[in-house]
Amino acid sequence: MAYKITLIPGDGIGPEVAEATVRVLEATGLKFEWERFRAGADAYEKYKEYIPQELIESIERNRVALKGPVTTPIAGGFPSINVALRKRFELYANFRPIRNLPHVPTRYPDVDLIVIRENTEGLYSGIEHEVVPGVVESLKIITEKASTRIARFAFAYARKHKRRKIHAIHKANIMKLSDGLFLRCSRNVAKEYPEITYGEHIVDNTCMQLVTNPYQYDMLLLENLYGDIISDLCAAFVGGLGLVPGANMGDHCAIFEAVHGSAPDIAGKNIANPTALIRSALLMLRHLGEMEAALRVRSALEAVYRQKEKLTRDMGGKASTAEFADSVIAAMPSPAMSETAAQPAT
Ligand code: NAI
């Protein structure tokens, strides 16, 4: 049986890291049928739509997509494709595990932090207008429904994976109503999970606390904007944006994509690090129930990270994006050799 997956290579470094990831996935021996679609400015040229209807229908059918980054114009132009897809498919939970890869020297070893970001509302509702020239209004929408839903996702994950603590991150001292509601919903859900320690920290203090001692946190639960910012900060703990995977999860479908963007500064040079998208694909394999294949991809990645010269430039190596993928494929253990590994495969 072949898995039908919607593939959005994206733009900038997207097509380079997506191609590398597809090759690594196919080297597992699993069968995939990729339904490829452009999105954003690239799609507009062909379809006169930023998110083609065929792409929407493909995700509705397949319920699983792998996505490269898509550029969003700054201070004008079309709205974010990423935000639009998350809203369209109610992918309310953005899941970003922050874990070190062995042999990547970082300021903090053995980080194991899960960032859970509410993905559908907050300031990303995109409701803004100019009241009068020189005055604009941007609305932050926080609802009881979405706040309770994301808190439930976080606590259910914590229970299932035996995590210890969840901190809700907020600015309810200033945004008393909106962040206050987010906190009330988190507290209510926390009561159903007495075995998980629940804490609350103000977002600015959280930045300082994280940089001082990231080990004090286990899981972070955040509304949309804080989650976006804090997850990039956390990426730096484990070696940068080239390494950190992500998943956008809903009740009906899921889109797997790296935390990083389209990196226009290095696009088209075949030097981007595909690790973050490969690790996102690894989350996809686990979502599909392909635990053994996920472990083999992780094992191959770790084997390559043992040899510095095979790494991409951001990791101090000289390999191109394609050469890095070649090394991961060459290091892929056969199915029988991977059965001993037992840790989470990210
Ligand atoms: P970015 O993540 O694209 O780049 C930030 C820095 O990290 C750059 O120096 C870049 O070279 C480096 N970097 C990122 N990914 C890398 C990789 N795989 N390998 C090596 N180095 C890597 O963030 P930026 O510049 O703020 O955003 C660029 C565009 O991407 C914007 O249009 C933004 O809206 C979009 N974006 C899209 C996302 C998505 O599609 N999910 C997520 C974040 C940003």
Side-chain angles (χ1 to χ4, degrees), residues 11 13 17 67-74 80 82 86 96 228 232 241-243 257-266 271-276 312 314:
D11 53 46
I13 60 170
V17 294
K67 177 181 164 298
V70 177
T71 303
T72 308
I74 291 173
S80 164
N82 313 308
R86 292 165 190 168
R96 295 176 164 179
D228 193 6
D232 271 36
L241 283 168
L243 301 183
E257 65 177 340
V259 171
H260 66 71
S262 56
D265 51 336
I266 56 167
I271 58 172
N273 189 346
T275 303
T312 46
D314 56 322

Side-chain angles (χ1 to χ4, degrees), residues 239-283:
L241 283 168
L243 301 183
V244 179
N248 301 290
M249 311 293 298
D251 291 333
H252 304 293
C253 55
I255 299 182
F256 296 84
E257 65 177 340
V259 171
H260 66 71
S262 56
D265 51 336
I266 56 167
K269 297 182 180 163
N270 195 22
I271 58 172
N273 189 346
T275 303
L277 193 60
I278 294 173
R279 289 174 109 189
S280 307
L282 204 151
L283 295 175

Side-chain angles (χ1 to χ4, degrees), residues 5-324:
I5 310 283
T6 306
L7 177 66
I8 309 164
D11 53 46
I13 60 170
E16 298 160 59
V17 294
E19 182 56 32
T21 303
V22 163
R23 288 205 291 124
V24 167
L25 282 172
E26 291 184 343
T28 61
L30 294 173
K31 297 273 174 276
F32 296 96
E33 264 179 47
W34 303 104
E35 294 185 2
R36 288 172 194 259
F37 292 93
R38 297 181 198 179
D42 281 359
Y44 196 79
E45 281 172 22
K46 186 172 169 195
Y47 300 95
K48 299 290 170 251
E49 283 174 302
Y50 292 108
I51 304 181
Q53 184 57 27
E54 292 165 41
L55 164 56
I56 302 276
E57 287 165 13
S58 172
I59 297 177
E60 271 169 1
R61 234 182 2 259
N62 298 332
R63 300 170 70 170
V64 178
L66 181 65
K67 177 181 164 298
V70 177
T71 303
T72 308
I74 291 173
F78 59 87
S80 164
I81 300 306
N82 313 308
V83 173
L85 284 173
R86 292 165 190 168
K87 279 197 203 153
R88 170 66 182 73
F89 291 102
E90 287 229 45
L91 305 173
Y92 58 86
N94 191 306
F95 173 79
R96 295 176 164 179
I98 312 285
R99 294 197 181 103
N100 293 86
L101 267 165
H103 314 290
V104 177
T106 55
R107 203 176 288 262
Y108 299 100
D110 304 320
V111 173
D112 178 7
L113 192 58
I114 306 280
V115 177
I116 306 271
R117 161 185 173 192
E118 202 292 320
N119 227 6
T120 59
E121 56 179 33
L123 275 168
Y124 285 66
S125 304
I127 306 171
E128 31 178 40
H129 65 278
E130 190 173 48
V131 183
V132 291
V135 181
V136 295
E137 197 171 50
S138 194
L139 298 185
K140 170 165 170 163
I141 307 294
I142 297 286
T143 64
E144 187 177 334
K145 180 182 165 202
S147 303
T148 302
R149 184 170 64 174
I150 192 67
R152 252 185 230 300
F153 179 94
F155 277 92
Y157 178 91
R159 178 170 281 172
K160 184 167 177 200
H161 296 273
K162 305 211 176 335
R163 307 291 302 203
R164 299 164 284 121
K165 278 193 280 203
I166 294 183
H167 278 87
I169 308 304
H170 67 95
K171 192 77 189 171
N173 50 333
I174 306 298
M175 281 164 274
K176 294 175 192 295
L177 286 184
S178 54
D179 283 17
L181 175 58
F182 185 81
L183 280 187
R184 270 206 313 284
C185 296
S186 303
R187 285 174 198 159
N188 283 341
V189 175
K191 285 183 202 143
E192 298 166 23
Y193 295 82
E195 79 277 21
I196 296 158
T197 307
Y198 172 71
E200 295 171 353
H201 277 175
I202 293 177
V203 63
D204 36 351
N205 174 36
T206 305
C207 294
M208 192 275 290
Q209 296 290 347
L210 273 166
V211 173
T212 309
N213 174 18
Y215 305 110
Q216 66 186 293
Y217 295 110
D218 185 32
M219 287 181 63
L220 300 177
L221 168 61
L222 311 101
E223 61 87 90
N224 213 337
L225 177 65
Y226 309 149
D228 193 6
I229 295 169
I230 294 276
S231 46
D232 271 36
L233 187 158
C234 291
F237 293 144
V238 295
L241 283 168
L243 301 183
V244 179
N248 301 290
M249 311 293 298
D251 291 333
H252 304 293
C253 55
I255 299 182
F256 296 84
E257 65 177 340
V259 171
H260 66 71
S262 56
D265 51 336
I266 56 167
K269 297 182 180 163
N270 195 22
I271 58 172
N273 189 346
T275 303
L277 193 60
I278 294 173
R279 289 174 109 189
S280 307
L282 204 151
L283 295 175
M284 181 183 88
L285 289 175
R286 288 171 60 81
H287 178 73
L288 294 172
E290 294 290 351
M291 305 303 180
E292 191 271 344
L295 285 169
R296 284 191 294 128
V297 173
R298 190 188 72 171
S299 159
L301 267 177
E302 291 183 2
V304 173
Y305 271 88
R306 268 181 224 121
Q307 296 154 279
K308 193 166 180 186
E309 71 280 7
K310 295 198 168 172
L311 303 182
T312 46
R313 287 187 200 186
D314 56 322
M315 293 289 111
K318 291 200 171 74
S320 68
T321 310
E323 286 165 346
F324 178 86

Side-chain angles (χ1 to χ4, degrees), residues 320-337:
S320 68
T321 310
E323 286 165 346
F324 178 86
D326 292 340
S327 301
V328 176
I329 292 164
M332 187 86 66
S334 64
M337 288 168 68

